[in-house]
Amino acid sequence: QVQLLESGGGLVQAGGSLRLSCAASGTIFGISDVGWYRQAPGKQRELVAAIRSRGSTNYADSVMGRFTIFRSNTNNTMYLQMNTLKPEDSAVYYCNFHRAGWYDYWGQGTQVTVSS
């Protein structure tokens, strides 16, 4: 059973940076699409950043230019570098490893709180 272990969340002042990490405790077979999602109070879950196995990436407009997603296939770890954080970035962030028809793994969530 694969578990995704998230870390890196916390409280940070506006303008600061955080790096979220997501590591699989078990073997993830094949090359997966990976992504970070977040859900803020009163809002639906949204895709923040993703990178597909073919290499293409996409970001939510709200984080474009500030966030960067990284992937390490060799150790089944991925990251979300978040710079110039804003209070509206506050949310629970979830990582996801997805391979269509094979698996869809989610992290437990990590809280990111950005103070003004």
Side-chain angles (χ1 to χ4, degrees):
Q1 171 79 339
V2 172
Q3 284 189 310
L4 303 184
L5 307 177
E6 298 186 34
S7 62
L11 177 64
V12 65
Q13 291 183 331
S17 299
L18 286 173
R19 178 177 290 184
L20 306 183
S21 63
C22 178
S25 62
T27 301
I28 296 180
F29 295 97
I31 301 175
S32 62
D33 302 331
V34 300
W36 288 92
Y37 297 76
R38 69 186 181 189
Q39 186 166 16
K43 301 189 69 175
Q44 294 188 348
R45 184 187 66 179
E46 65 171 340
L47 176 67
V48 177
I51 180 168
R52 302 189 64 176
S53 60
R54 287 151 40 178
S56 61
T57 59
N58 65 284
Y59 296 88
D61 289 342
S62 59
V63 307
M64 187 77 69
R66 300 187 297 117
F67 290 10
T68 305
I69 185 171
F70 301 90
R71 180 178 184 173
S72 176
N73 290 329
T74 56
N75 59 4
N76 292 334
T77 304
M78 56 106 122
Y79 308 89
L80 183 68
Q81 179 66 44
M82 305 184 293
N83 297 326
T84 58
L85 283 160
K86 304 174 180 179
E88 50 263 45
D89 295 319
S90 298
V92 178
Y93 285 71
Y94 300 90
C95 62
N96 172 251
F97 284 65
H98 175 74
R99 187 181 180 191
W102 290 87
Y103 52 76
D104 190 23
Y105 300 129
W106 291 88
Q108 81 282 2
T110 184
Q111 177 70 50
V112 172
T113 303
V114 184
S115 64
S116 58

